[in-house]
Amino acid sequence: METLRERKKRRTREALVRAALELFTTQGYERTTVDEIAEAVDVSQRTFFRYFAGKEDAAFAVQEMTEAHFVAAVRARPPHEPPMEALRQAVLEGWDDIRETVESVVPVELYLRMYRMIESTPALLAAHLRRSAATEQTIAGLLAEREGVDVDADPRPRLAVAVFAGVIRVTERQWSTGDDFSLAAIRGLTAAYLDQVGPALTGNWRAA
Amino acid sequence: METLRERKKRRTREALVRAALELFTTQGYERTTVDEIAEAVDVSQRTFFRYFAGKEDAAFAVQEMTEAHFVAAVRARPPHEPPMEALRQAVLEGWDDIRETVESVVPVELYLRMYRMIESTPALLAAHLRRSAATEQTIAGLLAEREGVDVDADPRPRLAVAVFAGVIRVTERQWSTGDDFSLAAIRGLTAAYLDQVGPALTGNWRAA
DNA sequence: TTGTCAACTGTCAGCGACTGTCACTAGCCT
DNA sequence: AGGCTAGTGACAGTCGCTGACAGTTGACAA
């Protein structure tokens, strides 16, 4: 069972995340200082840095949970599914699950606002892309294992994941700049865009 | 013609770039301070920041030239070429041209070392990915124009570019972690990986 | 050629992110 | 109850970066 000390720690951490996201999404990321976040939770700046490696870390605390969920979702896919189909299903079916997990820490609405803030803040976008690249590595490893090929010898796992991730990026961007921020919207976009990959690669587009 | 002032400016800037890349590649990016770079060229720290928006900017000074070249190469492709073919040719044929341009500022060997440093330094990798994302936007616009479609209404331009960029990323990574750093090597990898996209997307991989 | 103007530059001062150190408090465990 | 230790606060210091101001030097006209 959870000791008092651990409980306090978890509370402090979650309070810091909530305060950080709230401040980031209202004043902007750069204009929010670590001191402000610490003060909002009534701890010292030094303590903030004991919970997070940096300001950036706090900003991605929730994203980290969703990434872990996606990886788990891919891992849970039936082994007979072709690679791209497994990725597709994992991302489409994962959202409801993710929603619940997120809600246990911060309001989903705050999570969505933060998502947009990441997309529109260069420093955060850069960090997001780097983190995505790391996740891609993990997924590539999973696919290789599923299909029984060697990740380093066979380029197909990494290529498939890179292509998939590229589509997801376009989807994210479109969703975050649109005006419908519902989960249904991003699911619809994801499915539609994945279906458009084939047409986008073949021939020229004037014929259609 | 170039005035004395402009000549001095250009020399200072190029000296700063060379000093920066030299220091970054030998001591590492984080362990190199702006003061060191400025001191190596015998200017004040303040002057460094008048030439570059930040330490990061200096690190990507050369990359910026190659990106501009790639965009120009795509723009120069015959309009009848299908989109993906235009990108492929632009990247494969662009290298020799780029090599010359790079050489006019820093030794190619230093450029290659810097490339690897970027791939292996999280902060630089993040910046690199963000910059790539920006370039992707530009290319997507070009493709849309070529094909006479609307970038915002038709997802295909962005999807095609995202897929292409994903493949290039995998190629870059493979090249920078391998042991053959020649231009021929990266050209070969690029062609091979682009050809592998189709197979990577369809069916499962065990059959092959 | 010379004087004026604008462009560059150096110096100084300061902010914010981040780190090391050290003393201290508060939960844990016997 | 009392020792042990994880967690914290306070303080000082480094580094990236910016603003303000003053000095210098090249450009260009008279």
Side-chain angles (χ1 to χ4, degrees):
Chain A
M1 107 125 210
E2 201 183 29
T3 150
L4 169 59
R5 219 182 234 163
E6 291 167 336
R7 227 176 312 152
K8 263 179 123 172
K9 248 180 97 171
R10 196 170 48 79
R11 270 198 221 120
T12 304
R13 191 192 149 85
E14 289 177 359
L16 281 170
V17 169
R18 271 190 299 273
L21 295 200
E22 199 59 60
L23 287 166
F24 290 160
T25 53
T26 53
Q27 329 180 333
Y29 176 70
E30 331 257 31
R31 278 186 302 279
T32 302
T33 69
V34 173
D35 286 316
E36 279 178 299
I37 303 169
E39 195 179 0
V41 183
D42 207 55
V43 296
S44 73
Q45 191 217 48
R46 196 69 186 81
T47 294
F48 174 92
F49 283 108
R50 289 202 177 92
Y51 282 94
F52 304 100
K55 201 164 87 165
E56 186 186 292
D57 244 52
F60 286 99
V62 185
Q63 308 290 323
E64 197 158 329
M65 296 167 50
T66 72
E67 285 163 20
H69 251 82
F70 174 62
V71 172
V74 172
R75 196 171 267 129
R77 282 276 107 197
H80 60 80
E81 261 180 344
M84 290 301 279
E85 185 58 19
L87 296 181
R88 180 193 182 105
Q89 292 306 323
V91 87
L92 287 178
E93 296 180 7
W95 277 111
D96 295 301
D97 213 19
I98 286 174
R99 182 193 177 93
E100 282 179 39
T101 315
V102 168
E103 188 76 48
S104 73
V105 182
V106 295
V108 172
E109 176 266 344
L110 181 55
Y111 167 71
L112 296 182
R113 274 194 320 202
M114 191 61 211
Y115 204 105
R116 288 203 275 160
M117 182 61 67
I118 290 171
E119 285 282 336
S120 61
T121 306
L124 289 179
L125 178 56
H128 177 57
L129 294 174
R130 192 196 54 208
R131 296 170 57 87
S132 299
T135 304
E136 286 176 42
Q137 288 285 103
T138 309
I139 303 288
L142 284 182
L143 288 195
E145 201 181 347
R146 280 170 64 99
E147 302 294 313
V149 301
D150 181 2
V151 218
D152 295 312
D154 191 333
R156 290 176 300 175
R158 285 198 226 270
L159 284 174
V161 172
V163 168
F164 185 82
V167 176
I168 295 296
R169 268 252 72 232
V170 175
T171 308
E172 284 175 346
R173 195 185 171 282
Q174 187 67 25
W175 173 73
S176 74
T177 57
D179 55 349
D180 184 353
F181 302 116
S182 68
L183 288 173
I186 196 171
R187 228 189 321 244
L189 274 176
T190 305
Y193 282 9
L194 282 173
D195 291 337
Q196 284 290 314
V197 174
L201 295 186
T202 58
N204 66 34
W205 307 328
R206 285 164 265 196
Chain B
M1 107 131 211
E2 203 182 28
T3 138
L4 168 60
R5 205 173 235 158
E6 290 166 336
R7 229 175 310 153
K8 261 180 124 172
K9 247 179 97 173
R10 194 169 48 80
R11 269 197 223 120
T12 305
R13 191 193 151 85
E14 289 177 359
L16 281 169
V17 170
R18 272 190 298 272
L21 295 200
E22 199 59 59
L23 287 166
F24 289 160
T25 53
T26 53
Q27 327 178 335
Y29 176 70
E30 330 258 27
R31 276 187 302 279
T32 302
T33 69
V34 173
D35 285 318
E36 280 178 298
I37 303 170
E39 196 179 358
V41 184
D42 205 55
V43 296
S44 74
Q45 191 214 50
R46 197 67 185 83
T47 293
F48 173 92
F49 283 109
R50 289 202 177 92
Y51 283 94
F52 303 99
K55 199 164 87 163
E56 186 186 291
D57 243 53
F60 286 99
V62 185
Q63 307 291 321
E64 196 158 330
M65 296 167 50
T66 73
E67 285 163 20
H69 252 82
F70 174 63
V71 172
V74 172
R75 198 172 265 129
R77 282 276 109 197
H80 60 79
E81 262 179 346
M84 290 302 280
E85 186 59 19
L87 296 181
R88 180 194 181 105
Q89 293 306 324
V91 87
L92 287 177
E93 295 180 6
W95 278 111
D96 295 301
D97 214 19
I98 286 175
R99 183 193 175 93
E100 284 179 38
T101 315
V102 168
E103 187 76 45
S104 72
V105 183
V106 296
V108 172
E109 176 265 343
L110 180 56
Y111 167 71
L112 296 181
R113 274 191 319 191
M114 190 61 211
Y115 204 105
R116 288 202 275 161
M117 182 60 68
I118 291 171
E119 286 281 336
S120 62
T121 306
L124 289 179
L125 178 57
H128 176 58
L129 294 174
R130 193 197 53 207
R131 297 171 56 88
S132 300
T135 304
E136 287 177 43
Q137 287 285 104
T138 308
I139 302 289
L142 282 182
L143 288 193
E145 201 180 345
R146 279 171 64 100
E147 302 294 313
V149 301
D150 181 1
V151 217
D152 294 312
D154 190 334
R156 289 176 301 174
R158 285 198 224 272
L159 284 174
V161 172
V163 168
F164 185 82
V167 176
I168 295 297
R169 268 253 73 234
V170 174
T171 308
E172 284 175 347
R173 195 184 172 285
Q174 187 66 25
W175 173 73
S176 74
T177 57
D179 54 350
D180 184 353
F181 302 116
S182 68
L183 262 55
I186 195 171
R187 226 188 324 243
L189 275 176
T190 306
Y193 282 10
L194 282 173
D195 291 337
Q196 284 290 316
V197 174
L201 295 186
T202 58
N204 68 33
W205 307 328
R206 283 163 269 197

